[in-house]
Amino acid sequence: MSGFTASSSRIRVVETIGSVDETVFDTDDDMPHIVGTTYLASVAVDFDNLTQTVSYVGDSCIATESLERVNVYNPSVWSAFFVWTPSSYDWYYDTYTAGFMSFDRTYTPGFMSHEWEWVYDPCGYTIPYFEYSVDAEEYSSVTNIADLPTDEDGTALDVDFVIVQATGIRTTGGKDARFDQSLPTTVPTKTFSFQGSLLLESSGEASGGSWFRRIMSVYPSGSKLKLKVQESVKSLSRGAYDSAFPHIGETRSTYSFNLKVFFGKFRQ
Amino acid sequence: MAIVLKITPTRFRASDSKLDSQRRYIRKVSSGEDLRFVNGQNMDVSGGGLRYVQPTGTAVDDGVYDGSFIGTTGTRIKV
């Protein structure tokens, strides 16, 4: 049943919804409250250009055709032939000799001769070929962007949660190293809130797998509010020889954020 | 005139209705939460991939991430 109770150090309010008593407020629970608010204007986030490396892959053959004097060996040859000896008649002795066939052959020895001809060489000379790849990189930087709220003695409070309300713009739109188009950014154009981390940019391979990520995180640590900026790049091959990544020098992205940071605690 | 304290059989209001039984207030609980507050870094990148650590503490990778980030479990909140 809805009700209010106050006893010694406890205040409790119960709201009955249907037949269920739901606690609206109970000082025995850890109730959240904001212990400090900080405004941070023009917080800069800067990602450098990516880099690429060219690597020797191999040599490719270039076919040639040249007019050259070449030795030609003419092999030895046996020539066989029949020889017909015609009949004859000797009037003096009155003798007749019949004609007949005989077999004879001649031998021509082998010899060398020379002649000019076009000679084709499928690998007359070679030229090297190269492949470009985006360099793998793991970048991380952590900066203090604010002090945490303090108590009366100036000691930083151990805050239990931080809520960041932000507006941000991408002041430099980095391009995908492969294409003449900006990397998609997930930063909305209007005010948004987040706790922890925020994905800023990403890109995938043709197969769909991720190769590139840029994120930022805002969180308390010690007596400071930290901004951590991270970039992770997996080496990416060009997929074609002797062709550099055309937009590698335009991959830098910069952001500017206005942050309203709420520091909260559940108990004093 | 501001309401300092008003109690009726079905409603409790105090401090100019900053506390009102018809509103829902959030509070930290040990179980039965409706949501969680994240209080730290909850994403990490490595090897060109991304790990997202849910408020429950469960890590969700993109299949490329090769790091070892753990993250923290969010604070349980009841509405």
Side-chain angles (χ1 to χ4, degrees):
Chain A
M1 181 180 176
S2 299
F4 162 77
T5 57
S7 62
S8 62
S9 62
R10 184 182 187 187
I11 297 175
R12 184 168 184 253
V13 178
V14 174
E15 175 83 352
T16 302
I17 300 175
S19 58
V20 179
D21 287 343
E22 294 207 355
T23 300
V24 173
F25 184 91
D26 189 342
T27 55
D28 270 9
D29 287 338
D30 287 344
M31 304 294 293
H33 54 281
I34 302 301
V35 294
T37 305
T38 296
Y39 297 89
L40 301 167
S42 303
V43 175
V45 173
D46 193 336
F47 297 99
D48 270 348
N49 280 325
L50 306 184
T51 58
Q52 64 182 336
T53 298
V54 59
S55 303
Y56 168 79
V57 178
D59 293 309
S60 59
C61 285
I62 303 299
T64 58
E65 202 168 17
S66 57
L67 189 61
E68 293 183 8
R69 186 170 185 245
V70 295
N71 294 323
V72 178
Y73 177 67
N74 300 279
S76 58
V77 176
W78 282 98
S79 300
F81 52 91
F82 292 98
V83 178
W84 166 250
T85 302
S87 60
S88 62
Y89 181 77
D90 187 336
W91 291 98
Y92 185 79
Y93 293 105
D94 191 20
T95 56
Y96 173 77
T97 303
F100 61 91
M101 292 289 286
S102 63
F103 181 76
D104 200 357
R105 60 178 185 171
T106 60
Y107 172 75
T108 303
F111 62 95
M112 296 292 291
S113 65
H114 307 282
E115 61 183 41
W116 291 88
E117 66 178 29
W118 287 100
V119 176
Y120 175 78
D121 186 342
C123 196
Y125 65 93
T126 60
I127 55 172
Y129 59 97
F130 302 89
E131 184 169 28
Y132 289 78
S133 58
V134 174
D135 296 328
E137 182 187 10
E138 302 294 338
Y139 167 77
S140 177
S141 75
V142 179
T143 54
N144 298 324
I145 56 175
D147 293 324
L148 298 188
T150 58
D151 61 15
E152 297 81 356
D153 299 326
T155 304
L157 293 174
D158 184 17
V159 299
D160 293 318
F161 61 90
V162 170
I163 299 173
V164 182
Q165 188 181 77
T167 57
I169 57 170
R170 184 161 64 166
T171 44
T172 304
K175 291 182 178 178
D176 190 306
R178 301 165 294 181
F179 313 119
D180 188 18
Q181 63 186 42
S182 294
L183 290 155
T185 180
T186 54
V187 174
T189 56
K190 296 185 177 180
T191 302
F192 60 99
S193 295
F194 69 97
Q195 290 182 300
S197 306
L198 187 65
L199 174 65
L200 297 176
E201 294 174 358
S202 64
S203 184
E205 298 179 82
S207 62
S210 170
W211 70 277
F212 172 87
R213 299 280 190 175
R214 285 170 169 169
I215 66 172
M216 61 179 273
S217 303
V218 176
Y219 56 91
S221 179
S223 62
K224 303 292 183 183
L225 184 70
K226 305 277 187 179
L227 169 66
K228 186 175 186 179
V229 176
Q230 291 175 271
E231 177 184 69
S232 180
V233 181
K234 185 174 80 171
S235 180
L236 182 70
S237 296
R238 184 75 174 111
Y241 297 133
D242 298 329
S243 174
F245 285 88
H247 302 286
I248 194 81
E250 302 169 271
T251 49
R252 178 182 178 225
S253 282
T254 60
Y255 292 83
S256 179
F257 291 98
N258 294 321
L259 307 177
K260 185 177 182 181
V261 184
F262 299 94
F263 300 97
K265 284 184 68 63
F266 289 102
R267 280 189 179 277
Q268 293 289 357
Chain B
M1 182 178 173
I3 298 173
V4 177
L5 180 64
K6 186 173 183 178
I7 304 171
T8 66
T10 57
R11 190 173 187 183
F12 173 90
R13 285 183 286 174
S15 188
D16 198 16
S17 293
K18 289 178 182 173
L19 178 59
D20 187 335
S21 64
Q22 291 191 350
R23 293 180 181 167
R24 313 313 302 169
Y25 295 87
I26 60 175
R27 59 195 187 278
K28 180 181 175 183
V29 295
S30 57
S31 62
E33 72 276 11
D34 294 313
L35 56 97
R36 297 194 186 215
F37 272 4
V38 174
N39 192 36
Q41 179 183 352
N42 62 337
M43 288 185 195
D44 187 45
V45 291
S46 181
L50 176 83
R51 168 171 287 179
Y52 168 62
V53 178
Q54 296 177 328
T56 57
T58 303
V60 180
D61 294 352
D62 60 3
V64 176
Y65 179 82
D66 62 3
S68 57
F69 176 70
I70 297 174
T72 56
T73 303
T75 304
R76 299 170 193 267
I77 302 297
K78 181 76 176 174
V79 178

PDB file of all heavy atoms in Angstrom, chain A residues 163-194:
ATOM      1  N   ILE A 163      28.482  11.070 -16.134  1.00  0.00           N
ATOM      2  CA  ILE A 163      27.637  11.149 -17.326  1.00  0.00           C
ATOM      3  C   ILE A 163      28.110  12.343 -18.146  1.00  0.00           C
ATOM      4  O   ILE A 163      28.250  13.450 -17.611  1.00  0.00           O
ATOM      5  CB  ILE A 163      26.150  11.306 -16.954  1.00  0.00           C
ATOM      6  CG1 ILE A 163      25.684  10.091 -16.138  1.00  0.00           C
ATOM      7  CG2 ILE A 163      25.295  11.473 -18.206  1.00  0.00           C
ATOM      8  CD1 ILE A 163      24.275  10.231 -15.589  1.00  0.00           C
ATOM      9  N   VAL A 164      28.394  12.100 -19.394  1.00  0.00           N
ATOM     10  CA  VAL A 164      28.901  13.155 -20.263  1.00  0.00           C
ATOM     11  C   VAL A 164      27.820  13.528 -21.266  1.00  0.00           C
ATOM     12  O   VAL A 164      27.298  12.676 -21.982  1.00  0.00           O
ATOM     13  CB  VAL A 164      30.169  12.699 -21.024  1.00  0.00           C
ATOM     14  CG1 VAL A 164      30.699  13.833 -21.889  1.00  0.00           C
ATOM     15  CG2 VAL A 164      31.227  12.212 -20.046  1.00  0.00           C
ATOM     16  N   GLN A 165      27.503  14.790 -21.254  1.00  0.00           N
ATOM     17  CA  GLN A 165      26.605  15.321 -22.278  1.00  0.00           C
ATOM     18  C   GLN A 165      27.483  16.093 -23.254  1.00  0.00           C
ATOM     19  O   GLN A 165      28.268  16.962 -22.832  1.00  0.00           O
ATOM     20  CB  GLN A 165      25.562  16.235 -21.635  1.00  0.00           C
ATOM     21  CG  GLN A 165      24.463  16.678 -22.583  1.00  0.00           C
ATOM     22  CD  GLN A 165      23.490  17.600 -21.879  1.00  0.00           C
ATOM     23  OE1 GLN A 165      23.758  18.774 -21.656  1.00  0.00           O
ATOM     24  NE2 GLN A 165      22.346  17.061 -21.514  1.00  0.00           N
ATOM     25  N   ALA A 166      27.361  15.796 -24.522  1.00  0.00           N
ATOM     26  CA  ALA A 166      28.350  16.328 -25.465  1.00  0.00           C
ATOM     27  C   ALA A 166      27.716  16.863 -26.733  1.00  0.00           C
ATOM     28  O   ALA A 166      26.645  16.416 -27.163  1.00  0.00           O
ATOM     29  CB  ALA A 166      29.347  15.229 -25.829  1.00  0.00           C
ATOM     30  N   THR A 167      28.380  17.836 -27.283  1.00  0.00           N
ATOM     31  CA  THR A 167      28.173  18.205 -28.675  1.00  0.00           C
ATOM     32  C   THR A 167      29.543  18.151 -29.314  1.00  0.00           C
ATOM     33  O   THR A 167      30.554  18.451 -28.670  1.00  0.00           O
ATOM     34  CB  THR A 167      27.589  19.618 -28.838  1.00  0.00           C
ATOM     35  OG1 THR A 167      28.460  20.556 -28.205  1.00  0.00           O
ATOM     36  CG2 THR A 167      26.201  19.701 -28.228  1.00  0.00           C
ATOM     37  N   GLY A 168      29.581  17.743 -30.550  1.00  0.00           N
ATOM     38  CA  GLY A 168      30.886  17.632 -31.193  1.00  0.00           C
ATOM     39  C   GLY A 168      30.782  17.778 -32.689  1.00  0.00           C
ATOM     40  O   GLY A 168      29.746  17.483 -33.298  1.00  0.00           O
ATOM     41  N   ILE A 169      31.855  18.256 -33.251  1.00  0.00           N
ATOM     42  CA  ILE A 169      31.931  18.336 -34.708  1.00  0.00           C
ATOM     43  C   ILE A 169      33.279  17.786 -35.144  1.00  0.00           C
ATOM     44  O   ILE A 169      34.270  17.873 -34.413  1.00  0.00           O
ATOM     45  CB  ILE A 169      31.775  19.781 -35.242  1.00  0.00           C
ATOM     46  CG1 ILE A 169      32.833  20.711 -34.631  1.00  0.00           C
ATOM     47  CG2 ILE A 169      30.382  20.304 -34.986  1.00  0.00           C
ATOM     48  CD1 ILE A 169      32.888  22.064 -35.287  1.00  0.00           C
ATOM     49  N   ARG A 170      33.274  17.220 -36.311  1.00  0.00           N
ATOM     50  CA  ARG A 170      34.541  16.766 -36.890  1.00  0.00           C
ATOM     51  C   ARG A 170      35.104  17.938 -37.686  1.00  0.00           C
ATOM     52  O   ARG A 170      34.538  18.326 -38.701  1.00  0.00           O
ATOM     53  CB  ARG A 170      34.327  15.542 -37.771  1.00  0.00           C
ATOM     54  CG  ARG A 170      35.642  14.992 -38.294  1.00  0.00           C
ATOM     55  CD  ARG A 170      35.537  13.582 -38.759  1.00  0.00           C
ATOM     56  NE  ARG A 170      34.634  13.424 -39.903  1.00  0.00           N
ATOM     57  CZ  ARG A 170      34.589  12.327 -40.655  1.00  0.00           C
ATOM     58  NH1 ARG A 170      35.372  11.302 -40.374  1.00  0.00           N
ATOM     59  NH2 ARG A 170      33.752  12.228 -41.668  1.00  0.00           N
ATOM     60  N   THR A 171      36.174  18.479 -37.218  1.00  0.00           N
ATOM     61  CA  THR A 171      36.747  19.665 -37.856  1.00  0.00           C
ATOM     62  C   THR A 171      37.613  19.313 -39.057  1.00  0.00           C
ATOM     63  O   THR A 171      37.846  20.152 -39.924  1.00  0.00           O
ATOM     64  CB  THR A 171      37.573  20.468 -36.833  1.00  0.00           C
ATOM     65  OG1 THR A 171      38.384  19.556 -36.067  1.00  0.00           O
ATOM     66  CG2 THR A 171      36.665  21.202 -35.875  1.00  0.00           C
ATOM     67  N   THR A 172      38.131  18.102 -39.097  1.00  0.00           N
ATOM     68  CA  THR A 172      38.852  17.615 -40.269  1.00  0.00           C
ATOM     69  C   THR A 172      38.337  16.212 -40.563  1.00  0.00           C
ATOM     70  O   THR A 172      38.436  15.329 -39.713  1.00  0.00           O
ATOM     71  CB  THR A 172      40.371  17.544 -40.026  1.00  0.00           C
ATOM     72  OG1 THR A 172      40.841  18.824 -39.622  1.00  0.00           O
ATOM     73  CG2 THR A 172      41.105  17.121 -41.303  1.00  0.00           C
ATOM     74  N   GLY A 173      37.760  16.051 -41.733  1.00  0.00           N
ATOM     75  CA  GLY A 173      37.194  14.750 -42.086  1.00  0.00           C
ATOM     76  C   GLY A 173      38.215  13.896 -42.809  1.00  0.00           C
ATOM     77  O   GLY A 173      38.475  14.080 -43.995  1.00  0.00           O
ATOM     78  N   GLY A 174      38.836  13.005 -42.085  1.00  0.00           N
ATOM     79  CA  GLY A 174      39.831  12.129 -42.696  1.00  0.00           C
ATOM     80  C   GLY A 174      39.200  11.199 -43.727  1.00  0.00           C
ATOM     81  O   GLY A 174      38.053  10.779 -43.585  1.00  0.00           O
ATOM     82  N   LYS A 175      39.978  10.895 -44.735  1.00  0.00           N
ATOM     83  CA  LYS A 175      39.488  10.011 -45.792  1.00  0.00           C
ATOM     84  C   LYS A 175      39.967   8.587 -45.566  1.00  0.00           C
ATOM     85  O   LYS A 175      40.989   8.347 -44.933  1.00  0.00           O
ATOM     86  CB  LYS A 175      39.972  10.489 -47.161  1.00  0.00           C
ATOM     87  CG  LYS A 175      39.349  11.800 -47.611  1.00  0.00           C
ATOM     88  CD  LYS A 175      39.843  12.191 -48.989  1.00  0.00           C
ATOM     89  CE  LYS A 175      39.166  13.480 -49.461  1.00  0.00           C
ATOM     90  NZ  LYS A 175      39.655  13.915 -50.782  1.00  0.00           N
ATOM     91  N   ASP A 176      39.212   7.675 -46.108  1.00  0.00           N
ATOM     92  CA  ASP A 176      39.682   6.296 -46.188  1.00  0.00           C
ATOM     93  C   ASP A 176      40.883   6.302 -47.122  1.00  0.00           C
ATOM     94  O   ASP A 176      40.829   6.905 -48.201  1.00  0.00           O
ATOM     95  CB  ASP A 176      38.554   5.408 -46.733  1.00  0.00           C
ATOM     96  CG  ASP A 176      38.880   3.926 -46.622  1.00  0.00           C
ATOM     97  OD1 ASP A 176      39.951   3.520 -47.118  1.00  0.00           O
ATOM     98  OD2 ASP A 176      38.063   3.188 -46.058  1.00  0.00           O
ATOM     99  N   ALA A 177      41.956   5.644 -46.703  1.00  0.00           N
ATOM    100  CA  ALA A 177      43.195   5.685 -47.495  1.00  0.00           C
ATOM    101  C   ALA A 177      42.991   5.186 -48.918  1.00  0.00           C
ATOM    102  O   ALA A 177      43.727   5.554 -49.833  1.00  0.00           O
ATOM    103  CB  ALA A 177      44.267   4.846 -46.811  1.00  0.00           C
ATOM    104  N   ARG A 178      41.959   4.375 -49.119  1.00  0.00           N
ATOM    105  CA  ARG A 178      41.741   3.770 -50.430  1.00  0.00           C
ATOM    106  C   ARG A 178      40.866   4.609 -51.343  1.00  0.00           C
ATOM    107  O   ARG A 178      40.951   4.503 -52.560  1.00  0.00           O
ATOM    108  CB  ARG A 178      41.078   2.400 -50.256  1.00  0.00           C
ATOM    109  CG  ARG A 178      41.872   1.430 -49.439  1.00  0.00           C
ATOM    110  CD  ARG A 178      41.013   0.255 -48.992  1.00  0.00           C
ATOM    111  NE  ARG A 178      39.964   0.676 -48.054  1.00  0.00           N
ATOM    112  CZ  ARG A 178      39.088  -0.141 -47.503  1.00  0.00           C
ATOM    113  NH1 ARG A 178      39.104  -1.414 -47.802  1.00  0.00           N
ATOM    114  NH2 ARG A 178      38.174   0.311 -46.662  1.00  0.00           N
ATOM    115  N   PHE A 179      40.004   5.418 -50.731  1.00  0.00           N
ATOM    116  CA  PHE A 179      38.963   6.061 -51.529  1.00  0.00           C
ATOM    117  C   PHE A 179      38.957   7.573 -51.316  1.00  0.00           C
ATOM    118  O   PHE A 179      39.367   8.068 -50.269  1.00  0.00           O
ATOM    119  CB  PHE A 179      37.582   5.506 -51.147  1.00  0.00           C
ATOM    120  CG  PHE A 179      37.533   4.015 -51.072  1.00  0.00           C
ATOM    121  CD1 PHE A 179      37.221   3.382 -49.881  1.00  0.00           C
ATOM    122  CD2 PHE A 179      37.823   3.247 -52.186  1.00  0.00           C
ATOM    123  CE1 PHE A 179      37.175   2.006 -49.804  1.00  0.00           C
ATOM    124  CE2 PHE A 179      37.780   1.860 -52.122  1.00  0.00           C
ATOM    125  CZ  PHE A 179      37.459   1.237 -50.929  1.00  0.00           C
ATOM    126  N   ASP A 180      38.411   8.233 -52.295  1.00  0.00           N
ATOM    127  CA  ASP A 180      38.283   9.682 -52.190  1.00  0.00           C
ATOM    128  C   ASP A 180      36.975  10.018 -51.494  1.00  0.00           C
ATOM    129  O   ASP A 180      36.103  10.687 -52.056  1.00  0.00           O
ATOM    130  CB  ASP A 180      38.346  10.297 -53.598  1.00  0.00           C
ATOM    131  CG  ASP A 180      38.420  11.817 -53.535  1.00  0.00           C
ATOM    132  OD1 ASP A 180      38.754  12.354 -52.460  1.00  0.00           O
ATOM    133  OD2 ASP A 180      38.145  12.460 -54.567  1.00  0.00           O
ATOM    134  N   GLN A 181      36.840   9.505 -50.297  1.00  0.00           N
ATOM    135  CA  GLN A 181      35.639   9.795 -49.514  1.00  0.00           C
ATOM    136  C   GLN A 181      35.980   9.734 -48.030  1.00  0.00           C
ATOM    137  O   GLN A 181      36.846   8.965 -47.614  1.00  0.00           O
ATOM    138  CB  GLN A 181      34.520   8.806 -49.840  1.00  0.00           C
ATOM    139  CG  GLN A 181      34.836   7.365 -49.505  1.00  0.00           C
ATOM    140  CD  GLN A 181      33.749   6.408 -49.991  1.00  0.00           C
ATOM    141  OE1 GLN A 181      33.240   6.556 -51.097  1.00  0.00           O
ATOM    142  NE2 GLN A 181      33.395   5.447 -49.164  1.00  0.00           N
ATOM    143  N   SER A 182      35.298  10.555 -47.275  1.00  0.00           N
ATOM    144  CA  SER A 182      35.601  10.650 -45.850  1.00  0.00           C
ATOM    145  C   SER A 182      35.189   9.375 -45.125  1.00  0.00           C
ATOM    146  O   SER A 182      34.220   8.715 -45.502  1.00  0.00           O
ATOM    147  CB  SER A 182      34.868  11.840 -45.232  1.00  0.00           C
ATOM    148  OG  SER A 182      35.363  13.041 -45.760  1.00  0.00           O
ATOM    149  N   LEU A 183      35.932   9.085 -44.087  1.00  0.00           N
ATOM    150  CA  LEU A 183      35.564   7.974 -43.218  1.00  0.00           C
ATOM    151  C   LEU A 183      34.239   8.301 -42.544  1.00  0.00           C
ATOM    152  O   LEU A 183      34.027   9.436 -42.126  1.00  0.00           O
ATOM    153  CB  LEU A 183      36.641   7.780 -42.147  1.00  0.00           C
ATOM    154  CG  LEU A 183      37.970   7.247 -42.645  1.00  0.00           C
ATOM    155  CD1 LEU A 183      39.085   7.654 -41.707  1.00  0.00           C
ATOM    156  CD2 LEU A 183      37.908   5.737 -42.777  1.00  0.00           C
ATOM    157  N   PRO A 184      33.351   7.334 -42.461  1.00  0.00           N
ATOM    158  CA  PRO A 184      32.095   7.616 -41.762  1.00  0.00           C
ATOM    159  C   PRO A 184      32.349   7.847 -40.283  1.00  0.00           C
ATOM    160  O   PRO A 184      33.149   7.139 -39.667  1.00  0.00           O
ATOM    161  CB  PRO A 184      31.262   6.354 -41.993  1.00  0.00           C
ATOM    162  CG  PRO A 184      32.259   5.292 -42.293  1.00  0.00           C
ATOM    163  CD  PRO A 184      33.423   5.958 -42.956  1.00  0.00           C
ATOM    164  N   THR A 185      31.704   8.843 -39.743  1.00  0.00           N
ATOM    165  CA  THR A 185      31.834   9.104 -38.312  1.00  0.00           C
ATOM    166  C   THR A 185      30.507   8.842 -37.626  1.00  0.00           C
ATOM    167  O   THR A 185      29.442   8.999 -38.228  1.00  0.00           O
ATOM    168  CB  THR A 185      32.280  10.549 -38.045  1.00  0.00           C
ATOM    169  OG1 THR A 185      32.384  10.746 -36.631  1.00  0.00           O
ATOM    170  CG2 THR A 185      31.290  11.550 -38.613  1.00  0.00           C
ATOM    171  N   THR A 186      30.597   8.416 -36.378  1.00  0.00           N
ATOM    172  CA  THR A 186      29.383   8.093 -35.630  1.00  0.00           C
ATOM    173  C   THR A 186      28.976   9.221 -34.696  1.00  0.00           C
ATOM    174  O   THR A 186      28.012   9.076 -33.944  1.00  0.00           O
ATOM    175  CB  THR A 186      29.604   6.823 -34.790  1.00  0.00           C
ATOM    176  OG1 THR A 186      30.752   7.012 -33.977  1.00  0.00           O
ATOM    177  CG2 THR A 186      29.824   5.624 -35.686  1.00  0.00           C
ATOM    178  N   VAL A 187      29.701  10.337 -34.746  1.00  0.00           N
ATOM    179  CA  VAL A 187      29.359  11.445 -33.861  1.00  0.00           C
ATOM    180  C   VAL A 187      28.105  12.134 -34.399  1.00  0.00           C
ATOM    181  O   VAL A 187      28.098  12.607 -35.538  1.00  0.00           O
ATOM    182  CB  VAL A 187      30.517  12.452 -33.775  1.00  0.00           C
ATOM    183  CG1 VAL A 187      30.107  13.670 -32.975  1.00  0.00           C
ATOM    184  CG2 VAL A 187      31.724  11.793 -33.144  1.00  0.00           C
ATOM    185  N   PRO A 188      27.047  12.165 -33.611  1.00  0.00           N
ATOM    186  CA  PRO A 188      25.820  12.791 -34.105  1.00  0.00           C
ATOM    187  C   PRO A 188      25.970  14.307 -34.188  1.00  0.00           C
ATOM    188  O   PRO A 188      26.846  14.900 -33.557  1.00  0.00           O
ATOM    189  CB  PRO A 188      24.777  12.386 -33.061  1.00  0.00           C
ATOM    190  CG  PRO A 188      25.553  12.113 -31.831  1.00  0.00           C
ATOM    191  CD  PRO A 188      26.893  11.606 -32.266  1.00  0.00           C
ATOM    192  N   THR A 189      25.113  14.897 -34.953  1.00  0.00           N
ATOM    193  CA  THR A 189      25.205  16.347 -35.146  1.00  0.00           C
ATOM    194  C   THR A 189      24.540  17.115 -34.009  1.00  0.00           C
ATOM    195  O   THR A 189      24.678  18.330 -33.927  1.00  0.00           O
ATOM    196  CB  THR A 189      24.543  16.739 -36.475  1.00  0.00           C
ATOM    197  OG1 THR A 189      23.195  16.249 -36.466  1.00  0.00           O
ATOM    198  CG2 THR A 189      25.305  16.140 -37.645  1.00  0.00           C
ATOM    199  N   LYS A 190      23.820  16.391 -33.168  1.00  0.00           N
ATOM    200  CA  LYS A 190      23.140  17.068 -32.060  1.00  0.00           C
ATOM    201  C   LYS A 190      23.715  16.596 -30.722  1.00  0.00           C
ATOM    202  O   LYS A 190      24.589  15.739 -30.668  1.00  0.00           O
ATOM    203  CB  LYS A 190      21.640  16.800 -32.135  1.00  0.00           C
ATOM    204  CG  LYS A 190      21.014  17.399 -33.397  1.00  0.00           C
ATOM    205  CD  LYS A 190      19.516  17.237 -33.407  1.00  0.00           C
ATOM    206  CE  LYS A 190      18.940  17.911 -34.656  1.00  0.00           C
ATOM    207  NZ  LYS A 190      17.472  17.773 -34.724  1.00  0.00           N
ATOM    208  N   THR A 191      23.179  17.169 -29.666  1.00  0.00           N
ATOM    209  CA  THR A 191      23.660  16.828 -28.334  1.00  0.00           C
ATOM    210  C   THR A 191      23.392  15.352 -28.035  1.00  0.00           C
ATOM    211  O   THR A 191      22.325  14.820 -28.352  1.00  0.00           O
ATOM    212  CB  THR A 191      22.949  17.699 -27.284  1.00  0.00           C
ATOM    213  OG1 THR A 191      23.205  19.073 -27.593  1.00  0.00           O
ATOM    214  CG2 THR A 191      23.460  17.393 -25.888  1.00  0.00           C
ATOM    215  N   PHE A 192      24.386  14.710 -27.455  1.00  0.00           N
ATOM    216  CA  PHE A 192      24.236  13.310 -27.098  1.00  0.00           C
ATOM    217  C   PHE A 192      24.919  13.066 -25.755  1.00  0.00           C
ATOM    218  O   PHE A 192      25.729  13.878 -25.303  1.00  0.00           O
ATOM    219  CB  PHE A 192      24.828  12.389 -28.168  1.00  0.00           C
ATOM    220  CG  PHE A 192      26.294  12.596 -28.411  1.00  0.00           C
ATOM    221  CD1 PHE A 192      27.239  11.757 -27.835  1.00  0.00           C
ATOM    222  CD2 PHE A 192      26.734  13.629 -29.218  1.00  0.00           C
ATOM    223  CE1 PHE A 192      28.595  11.950 -28.049  1.00  0.00           C
ATOM    224  CE2 PHE A 192      28.101  13.834 -29.442  1.00  0.00           C
ATOM    225  CZ  PHE A 192      29.027  12.992 -28.861  1.00  0.00           C
ATOM    226  N   SER A 193      24.570  11.974 -25.122  1.00  0.00           N
ATOM    227  CA  SER A 193      25.158  11.618 -23.835  1.00  0.00           C
ATOM    228  C   SER A 193      25.827  10.261 -23.932  1.00  0.00           C
ATOM    229  O   SER A 193      25.415   9.410 -24.721  1.00  0.00           O
ATOM    230  CB  SER A 193      24.083  11.564 -22.741  1.00  0.00           C
ATOM    231  OG  SER A 193      23.534  12.841 -22.525  1.00  0.00           O
ATOM    232  N   PHE A 194      26.847  10.094 -23.138  1.00  0.00           N
ATOM    233  CA  PHE A 194      27.483   8.779 -23.105  1.00  0.00           C
ATOM    234  C   PHE A 194      28.202   8.587 -21.780  1.00  0.00           C
ATOM    235  O   PHE A 194      28.480   9.542 -21.053  1.00  0.00           O
ATOM    236  CB  PHE A 194      28.456   8.603 -24.286  1.00  0.00           C
ATOM    237  CG  PHE A 194      29.693   9.459 -24.234  1.00  0.00           C
ATOM    238  CD1 PHE A 194      30.889   8.938 -23.743  1.00  0.00           C
ATOM    239  CD2 PHE A 194      29.677  10.764 -24.689  1.00  0.00           C
ATOM    240  CE1 PHE A 194      32.035   9.710 -23.702  1.00  0.00           C
ATOM    241  CE2 PHE A 194      30.825  11.555 -24.658  1.00  0.00           C
ATOM    242  CZ  PHE A 194      32.006  11.025 -24.168  1.00  0.00           C
TER     243      PHE A 194
END
